[in-house]
Amino acid sequence: MRGLLAALKEITRYPSAMVGLFILAFILALAAYAVITIPYGEAIRLWRGGEATWRYNPRTAAPAWIDYLTPKKLLRTVILGPEDAQKEVKVLSERTRRLIFTYTLDYEADVFPSELAVVFKSQYEKKPPRVEVIWRTPDGREFSFGRQIPSGKVHWYTVSQDRDLIASLRGAPEEVLFQDPNAPEKTLKGIHTITIKAYVFEPEADLEAEVVVYGTVYGIAGTDHLRRDIWVALLWGAPIALAFGLGASFGITISSIVFAAIGAWFGGWVDAVVQRLTEIRMVIPTLPILIMVGLFYSKSIWVILAVLIGLNLIESTVKQYRAVFLQEKRTPYIEAARSYGARHLRIIFRYLIPRVIPWVIPSFVLAVPAYVFLEASLSVLGLGDPVLPTWGKLLSDAFSHGALYHGYYYWVLEPAFLLMLTGFGFTLIGYTLDKVFNPKLREI
Amino acid sequence: MEPLLRVEDLRLYFRTTKGIVQAVDGVSFELAPRTAMVVVGESGCGKSSLAKAILRLLPRNTHTYSGKIFLDGTDVMALNDEQFRREVRWKRISYVAQAAMNALNPVIKVGTQVAEPLFIHNNLTKSEAVNRVVEAFQLVGVPVDFVDRYPFELSGGMRQRVVIAMALITSPQLVILDEPTSALDVLTQANIMNSLKRIREELELTYILITHDISTSSELALDAMVMYAGQIVELGKAGHFFLEPLHPYSQKLMASVPTLREDKDLEFIPGQPPSLINPPTGCRFAPRCPKRFTTCEKEPPMVEYKDGRKIKCHLYV
Amino acid sequence: MQDQVLISVRNLHKWFELRKWGFIHVGFVRAVDGVDFDIRHGEAVTFVGESGCGKSTLARTILGLYQPTKGEILFQGKKLQKLGRWYRAQVGYIQQDPYGALPPFMNVRRILLEPMVINRRGTRTERERRIREVLEEVKLTPVEDFIGKFPHMLSGGQQQRVVIARSIVLNPKLLVADEPVSMLDASVRVEILQLLRGVQEAHQLGVAYITHDLSTVRYFSERIFVMYAAKLVEKAPVKELISNPLHPYTQALLDAIPDPDPENAHKFKEVPPGEPPSLLNPPPGCRFHPRCKHLIEGLCDQEVPPEFEVKPGHYVSCWLYK
């Protein structure tokens, strides 16, 4: 063990390994942060929640930091709630009251909002209230629309989809309301006044309204087609990628070593069986089997991981390990162990296997990215875990919604960057470990 | 008599991750023609590196390679690598490397392997080469029909003879033998020593024999060189060294050699040879030396003692 | 105690089956082919022979690493049916290559602990005490400096001391030392051999010392057994054998061993021609007869010579002494 620690200390001498360790530390920190701030169940809920969970988010918005990279001022979503409103109540009759909410919106962005919506939250017993929206632009034009009866406790009035309004404005409301009449491609900056008039018809009835001006940028990572915060998936992708990559690599490496050691130590028919199984395994393609499992049995990432390890219990590396063990088996210290009475299992686990550990660690580390990528590939093929947010899942969604075609580059680049970063980190560390543990490769 | 080989202040240092290894550190000696000099010392004292330095078989991590080597009066250090390879190595000085018998190519017939230097150095035709191989095999005592065998079909002793034949085939003047019999059995060892003796007399060869087995080296040795920590500590006739070693290290070394026929109290040298990365200043043997005194902190000179012996020790100043 | 027989080997055979393609029987390699000897308590015996004569197979069979094909081993008078774990704990093993004999991933403490753990000896504190005891005995002191070291941090001589410490940690009765010093530097050899001798005398151990190097034998053992082609050809006390070798093979072997004498360079040695026979197809009769200059035709090449006791305690298997 001390040898391992010394080796780990030695890798700090290599700058490339330091970069790798730094990257790994970053990914680990990301994973830890994800697991701590968003518990597993919460992550699934957020990802599976659909639009209801994310209604206040803009659709396919770029990350907010894009704002700093472009000369144009982009728009973050503005939500004007009851606390932003001036509320006026006028009692019209014993039962009827008129509520007027006045909101002001200081619009400075160079781009149009991506959407407009008004949320009515009303309380009533039998007779629903009536509402109307009056929108006054900075240059004094006034538009009145949205005359309706909100149904239910929470009623979403999506202004951008109001066909009558679109028809009367001859354009998308989120553009017409914000454009400079003299230069239609530009926004008009200044203060918009939004007035919501509501009539309630019961003494106990009440109403609140929120005006949602959807921005074009959102959060650290932007949003997807379902308004979901991509950041959640990027965060949760880290622990999942690590768990999948490390788990697969660890399970497969350990089981292959154990089988190789058992075969090499006992020799004879045991060895023959292990060898034949290895050869059979070598001609069984993993990917199609995983695809079939995904299609017909379960897409759960943990099932796929178990199947992957199960399929590779006896991996082709068994052959390499076996060659090493066959040599090690004849070393004098093994003979000495037999002479003082060590039995088969003790020799295999305490004498044979520890000998190859230094040799195996680099290949174990180097194999991790392959399994991380495998999970991503399965997701892109549509066989990703349906409930868990993963990097592969992001890519898959981006792919199926034509992210690149529509110019949503962030949607593809963010998970791709993290995937590559992970692979890069493990590779840097792996190759350095290889140099440390196999000094023959070391330059003099 | 004009020396066959004269080495002056030869140095060979290697670069390693831990520092510079001074494997051969200022070695000077002369070798008369038709002699056999044995180089003895503990493992890691620079014996094999000396052989490599003379043959200019330098590893890639060579740090310093300096000094002068005169072969028959010509300065071979002045030759460039290509000239050296073509005119000196294997042609005038050949080499039987340590454990070379295990380094034969397993898939090439031994006859072909022995002929290899001929194709490289002498541009002989195949039939001429075959004749030379047959001669060389007869010389070292390998049955002639073995030319068509593969290395694994030969015993250890036969493989060693094949390797010696390979060193002799280009008719060199000087053969450097690095532990030529260390892995072999006693009878085989005696047999090969007999052959080496006979070949030297017949072909008027000169040998440098590198070994840690002093008893066996006595079969061949006419001159003796004792190395310690990259330097020569004693140089002289083999008889003087075997019967009356002068340097305290040589004395200890001889006292540790077990003898079959007489009873003696065996001794060992306590401690370990120094690291060649940071050798002690002054006499390098001083930390282990029973006769150490204050002057030993200074580098001892190479003292010319009687009978042409040289000893690097303050005791003989 | 001194004169009691510790281990007695009777008509021991170890044959290895040689197969072609894994199943077609080709023959047997007769690595040990009918060997008899006794080792007494506290006695060191040297087995000497050339490589391939079967001495290492003999060592492994005595150690219990191979089950004998035929013959029996009596240990302290008891006939052993199976060379199991109890027996193996009675025999310590010292190997040729000290570096290879130590697991590189274990430190000295762990290396010495393993035999005790496997054989369930002692409590934790007893084990720790025993480790210190044996390290002191092999003079790896101060113990604290060595107990945590890994093999690669030790010199060859120190490694071999750890191997010796491990071989005696279970308090065995017999040590098998297979070329214990041939990989070490000449200057260290003597040190290790003296240590081994000291350990042997302190515990009255029987020692089977296997070597091809006769020159060290006179200092470190009582009797020599000469092995040639899987058989013991001569057995005698050390001085008797060196001064009065009887078997032609022993004579040749002794003649071939040089002492450091400048005269050697000027004379040629007489060496028997040829090489030792294959153990797959050993020659009939005396196995040395094809190389022997005293060959008696019609006898040596046909009948296996029995063992003759020429002098008390000096046995030889050669028809010359009929």
Side-chain angles (χ1 to χ4, degrees):
Chain A
M1 275 328 276
R2 205 164 302 169
L4 285 185
L5 286 181
L8 286 178
K9 203 174 277 174
E10 198 182 333
I11 74 167
T12 54
R13 292 198 355 233
Y14 295 84
S16 60
M18 287 312 288
V19 174
L21 282 175
F22 184 77
I23 292 172
L24 191 62
F26 170 73
I27 304 279
L28 278 171
L30 205 64
Y33 178 76
V35 176
I36 291 165
T37 55
I38 313 171
Y40 186 73
E42 175 73 1
I44 293 178
R45 191 190 67 76
L46 286 176
W47 205 244
R48 292 280 285 161
E51 283 209 49
T53 322
W54 300 104
R55 238 165 152 184
Y56 291 96
N57 283 359
R59 219 184 271 275
T60 57
W65 44 265
I66 296 280
D67 200 6
Y68 303 110
L69 305 180
T70 51
K72 282 187 182 172
K73 178 139 178 52
L74 305 178
L75 180 65
R76 287 177 171 76
T77 302
V78 181
I79 300 167
L80 302 169
E83 63 282 357
D84 302 310
Q86 283 184 327
K87 187 175 176 186
E88 250 177 67
V89 182
K90 191 170 183 190
V91 180
L92 297 178
S93 73
E94 192 186 327
R95 292 181 158 262
T96 311
R97 278 169 298 143
R98 189 181 66 195
L99 312 175
I100 295 176
F101 303 90
T102 313
Y103 304 83
T104 52
L105 172 68
D106 187 0
Y107 199 80
E108 289 297 331
D110 293 315
V111 292
F112 300 109
S114 56
E115 253 179 311
L116 285 178
V118 182
V119 191
F120 299 106
K121 295 176 178 168
S122 42
Q123 288 171 14
Y124 59 90
E125 270 173 27
K126 283 201 181 114
K127 194 167 183 198
R130 283 165 182 276
V131 294
E132 183 186 358
V133 180
I134 297 140
W135 193 291
R136 187 213 283 246
T137 59
D139 56 348
R141 288 173 295 151
E142 217 174 81
F143 301 91
S144 170
F145 51 87
R147 214 159 293 147
Q148 57 187 301
I149 302 166
S151 56
K153 300 245 150 93
V154 179
H155 175 81
W156 279 80
Y157 165 47
T158 312
V159 180
S160 305
Q161 285 168 14
D162 185 338
R163 293 207 183 150
D164 297 339
L165 183 61
I166 294 169
S168 69
L169 293 175
R170 287 200 203 86
E174 67 272 18
E175 287 178 14
V176 176
L177 293 178
F178 289 89
Q179 75 193 176
D180 185 344
N182 304 317
E185 71 285 353
K186 279 193 184 162
T187 58
L188 189 64
K189 293 177 185 167
I191 294 177
H192 293 257
T193 312
I194 303 124
T195 309
I196 291 172
K197 254 191 230 169
Y199 295 89
V200 292
F201 306 105
E202 287 170 5
E204 297 300 312
D206 199 4
L207 183 133
E208 282 176 356
E210 289 170 80
V211 178
V212 187
V213 182
Y214 288 101
T216 55
V217 295
Y218 179 84
I220 299 175
T223 59
D224 67 3
H225 61 297
L226 294 173
R227 306 174 188 277
R228 292 181 297 201
D229 186 352
I230 290 177
W231 182 232
V232 171
L234 289 182
L235 272 182
W236 258 91
I240 292 170
L242 287 180
F244 193 88
L246 289 170
S249 190
F250 188 76
I252 290 168
T253 310
I254 292 291
S255 70
S256 296
I257 289 173
V258 170
F259 277 109
I262 289 173
W265 176 251
F266 289 105
W269 66 268
V270 181
D271 192 31
V273 167
V274 172
Q275 289 308 300
R276 295 303 85 76
L277 285 176
T278 312
E279 283 145 19
I280 291 169
R281 156 65 194 84
M282 281 160 85
V283 295
I284 296 178
T286 311
L287 198 60
I289 291 186
L290 289 180
I291 290 174
M292 289 208 289
V293 170
L295 284 176
F296 298 119
Y297 180 62
S298 163
K299 285 185 188 168
S300 160
I301 193 165
W302 310 122
V303 171
I304 297 278
L305 177 62
V307 172
L308 179 64
I309 295 177
L311 274 179
N312 288 287
L313 275 181
I314 298 185
E315 211 201 358
S316 55
T317 49
V318 163
K319 298 257 176 199
Q320 297 167 33
Y321 297 141
R322 175 174 173 267
V324 177
F325 285 133
L326 283 180
Q327 259 176 31
E328 285 303 315
K329 173 182 172 175
R330 294 193 191 88
T331 49
Y333 72 82
I334 302 266
E335 195 175 55
R338 292 230 297 129
S339 83
Y340 51 70
R343 302 212 172 155
H344 297 308
L345 285 183
R346 194 174 185 90
I347 288 181
I348 290 172
F349 287 99
R350 296 216 61 141
Y351 290 82
L352 272 178
I353 291 180
R355 188 74 177 107
V356 301
I357 293 289
W359 196 71
V360 161
I361 285 177
S363 56
F364 158 70
V365 172
L366 285 171
V368 172
Y371 296 114
V372 173
F373 294 158
L374 178 69
E375 187 274 326
S377 323
L378 285 174
S379 290
V380 171
L381 289 174
L383 298 163
D385 191 293
V387 298
L388 274 179
T390 67
W391 296 337
K393 205 67 187 130
L394 281 177
L395 285 173
S396 160
D397 287 345
F399 175 67
S400 59
H401 292 87
L404 292 177
Y405 174 70
H406 289 107
Y408 309 142
Y409 297 109
Y410 64 92
W411 198 356
V412 176
L413 290 181
E414 287 167 356
F417 172 73
L418 283 177
L419 275 170
M420 285 189 282
L421 196 67
T422 309
F424 189 56
F426 278 104
T427 309
L428 283 178
I429 295 171
Y431 281 123
T432 315
L433 284 173
D434 212 19
K435 272 190 210 164
V436 171
F437 285 123
N438 303 307
K440 273 182 220 154
L441 297 173
R442 203 181 298 168
E443 310 116 272
I444 299 162
Chain B
M1 194 162 35
E2 179 68 16
L4 173 71
L5 182 75
R6 197 167 88 231
V7 172
E8 282 174 17
D9 199 30
L10 188 64
R11 279 164 208 275
L12 179 58
Y13 296 176
F14 303 122
R15 215 172 327 118
T16 66
T17 45
K18 296 199 178 94
I20 308 295
V21 177
Q22 306 177 2
V24 178
D25 197 19
V27 165
S28 307
F29 65 94
E30 289 182 357
L31 192 66
R34 291 187 295 287
T35 186
M37 176 185 271
V38 53
V39 180
V40 296
E42 285 165 283
S43 49
C45 70
K47 301 181 302 254
S48 293
S49 299
L50 175 64
K52 292 192 172 117
I54 294 172
L55 284 154
R56 213 192 278 187
L57 291 168
L58 308 177
R60 281 201 317 170
N61 60 333
T62 300
H63 175 269
T64 308
Y65 176 57
S66 67
K68 287 207 167 71
I69 299 174
F70 295 94
L71 184 65
D72 250 349
T74 51
D75 182 4
V76 296
M77 282 299 257
L79 302 177
N80 66 29
D81 284 353
E82 179 57 26
Q83 288 168 325
F84 187 87
R85 189 187 65 77
R86 222 175 34 230
E87 289 164 25
V88 181
R89 192 188 305 141
W90 225 273
K91 203 150 185 200
R92 297 175 66 188
I93 310 178
S94 64
Y95 182 43
V96 176
Q98 201 169 354
M101 61 185 240
N102 299 325
L104 287 170
N105 189 329
V107 294
I108 298 179
K109 289 175 182 168
V110 290
T112 316
Q113 293 194 58
V114 170
E116 188 71 17
L118 289 177
F119 297 129
I120 296 172
H121 294 279
N122 299 40
N123 298 320
L124 292 188
T125 64
K126 193 152 185 217
S127 64
E128 285 171 319
V130 168
N131 288 337
R132 291 279 288 274
V133 171
V134 168
E135 277 170 36
F137 271 28
Q138 283 165 339
L139 193 62
V140 297
V142 179
V144 170
D145 55 319
F146 279 24
V147 289
D148 284 331
R149 294 206 184 179
Y150 290 94
F152 69 88
E153 298 176 293
L154 305 187
S155 67
M158 281 301 159
R159 285 208 302 274
Q160 189 60 38
R161 285 167 189 271
V162 164
V163 169
I164 294 169
M166 205 162 153
L168 295 176
I169 194 136
T170 49
S171 320
Q173 294 163 286
L174 174 63
V175 183
I176 300 178
L177 303 150
D178 193 353
E179 303 278 9
T181 59
S182 69
L184 300 173
D185 283 310
V186 183
L187 290 179
T188 320
Q189 216 166 2
N191 233 324
I192 288 185
M193 280 297 173
N194 276 344
S195 304
L196 285 172
K197 238 181 279 187
R198 187 173 39 76
I199 292 164
R200 194 179 63 77
E201 281 166 17
E202 279 176 23
L203 302 184
E204 303 196 326
L205 287 175
T206 309
Y207 286 156
I208 294 178
L209 171 69
I210 292 167
T211 184
H212 66 268
D213 182 349
I214 291 170
S215 298
T216 311
S217 75
S218 72
E219 301 262 8
L220 218 51
L222 299 174
D223 294 310
M225 175 198 288
V226 184
M227 281 189 83
Y228 187 77
Q231 298 178 330
I232 297 176
V233 294
E234 181 161 349
L235 196 60
K237 290 278 160 227
H240 292 136
F241 167 65
F242 289 137
L243 300 177
E244 186 214 357
L246 290 176
H247 194 283
Y249 176 65
S250 316
Q251 289 169 349
K252 279 284 189 187
L253 206 56
M254 282 307 297
S256 74
V257 176
T259 48
L260 182 67
R261 290 166 190 85
E262 54 173 316
D263 264 319
K264 73 173 189 188
D265 285 330
L266 289 184
E267 291 177 39
F268 55 87
I269 313 175
Q272 285 170 50
S275 147
L276 295 178
I277 291 175
N278 266 318
T281 51
C283 174
R284 293 184 178 179
F285 185 60
R288 301 168 78 186
C289 183
K291 297 178 179 167
R292 156 182 84 240
F293 57 111
T294 45
T295 328
C296 296
E297 285 162 21
K298 277 183 275 173
E299 170 92 21
M302 194 54 122
V303 184
E304 303 259 354
Y305 196 73
K306 60 179 191 234
D307 305 324
R309 304 177 70 180
K310 290 181 179 175
I311 295 100
K312 191 180 174 72
C313 180
H314 288 297
L315 287 173
Y316 301 95
V317 174
Chain C
M1 205 51 181
Q2 183 63 267
D3 293 329
Q4 273 177 3
V5 172
L6 172 65
I7 185 170
S8 182
V9 168
R10 293 281 163 266
N11 196 26
L12 189 74
H13 290 70
K14 180 66 199 172
W15 292 6
F16 295 100
E17 195 176 3
L18 205 63
R19 289 182 185 152
K20 205 157 128 192
W21 301 326
F23 54 89
I24 300 174
H25 175 84
V26 175
F28 287 106
V29 176
R30 301 166 187 211
V32 176
D33 203 15
V35 162
D36 293 82
F37 63 85
D38 292 337
I39 298 176
R40 290 187 282 268
H41 276 281
E43 182 193 36
V45 170
T46 301
F47 292 82
V48 69
E50 291 171 273
S51 56
C53 74
K55 58 189 196 303
S56 286
T57 306
L58 179 61
R60 290 185 174 91
T61 314
I62 299 173
L63 279 162
L65 295 175
Y66 295 148
Q67 297 296 327
T69 310
K70 206 160 83 182
E72 55 191 42
I73 296 177
L74 288 91
F75 191 77
Q76 292 181 311
K78 267 183 294 180
K79 190 182 164 198
L80 299 172
Q81 297 301 330
K82 185 171 165 285
L83 306 179
R85 195 187 267 196
W86 174 85
Y87 171 71
R88 289 188 201 181
Q90 304 297 312
V91 188
Y93 188 21
I94 299 163
Q95 287 146 297
Q96 181 174 15
D97 166 16
Y99 183 66
L102 299 172
F105 43 84
M106 289 187 187
N107 63 15
V108 171
R109 174 186 276 118
R110 187 75 228 173
I111 288 169
L112 297 177
L113 201 56
E114 277 288 303
M116 293 192 278
V117 172
I118 288 168
N119 290 283
R120 302 197 181 85
R121 292 277 179 91
T123 61
R124 182 188 276 246
T125 46
E126 282 165 2
R127 287 174 184 168
E128 188 68 23
R129 198 168 57 228
R130 180 71 186 138
I131 288 173
R132 280 157 204 280
E133 224 171 75
V134 290
L135 283 176
E136 271 164 29
E137 189 161 356
V138 298
K139 300 190 181 62
L140 284 175
T141 48
V143 170
E144 288 310 321
D145 288 359
F146 292 98
I147 202 161
K149 290 237 166 90
F150 286 85
H152 66 94
M153 304 171 177
L154 304 172
S155 71
Q158 290 168 341
Q159 287 166 355
Q160 196 60 301
R161 283 162 194 270
V162 177
V163 173
I164 294 173
R166 179 175 66 187
S167 73
I168 58 172
V169 77
L170 294 174
N171 286 311
K173 301 281 190 321
L174 177 68
L175 287 185
V176 175
D178 191 355
E179 306 266 12
V181 294
S182 70
M183 305 273 280
L184 302 174
D185 248 316
S187 53
V188 187
R189 277 183 194 180
V190 178
E191 204 179 348
I192 295 293
L193 285 171
Q194 284 176 352
L195 174 76
L196 207 52
R197 189 68 167 168
V199 168
Q200 179 218 344
E201 281 169 358
H203 300 281
Q204 284 298 302
L205 300 177
V207 173
Y209 172 35
I210 287 148
T211 184
H212 70 274
D213 176 12
L214 260 175
S215 56
T216 52
V217 166
R218 69 182 293 134
Y219 305 93
F220 302 105
S221 68
E222 277 78 34
R223 284 195 290 162
I224 299 182
F225 298 166
V226 181
M227 198 163 178
Y228 183 77
K231 283 179 180 293
L232 295 182
V233 296
E234 187 163 0
K235 298 181 230 174
V238 173
K239 297 225 163 104
E240 164 72 15
L241 188 111
I242 290 170
S243 55
N244 183 24
L246 296 178
H247 198 283
Y249 173 67
T250 315
Q251 290 165 355
L253 203 58
L254 288 174
D255 277 346
I257 295 167
D259 278 337
D261 179 355
E263 288 305 306
N264 291 343
H266 303 288
K267 46 186 198 211
F268 287 91
K269 287 236 157 80
E270 200 183 324
V271 182
E275 293 190 353
S278 141
L279 297 181
L280 190 61
N281 256 325
C286 172
R287 294 191 176 171
F288 190 61
H289 85 257
R291 303 170 75 185
C292 186
K293 58 181 175 186
H294 304 295
L295 170 69
I296 307 169
E297 294 218 26
L299 182 63
C300 294
D301 53 358
Q302 279 168 13
E303 283 180 60
V304 179
E307 201 167 73
F308 300 105
E309 186 168 9
V310 179
K311 277 190 203 170
H314 193 156
Y315 302 86
V316 62
S317 301
C318 177
W319 285 117
L320 288 176
Y321 304 93
K322 183 165 55 170

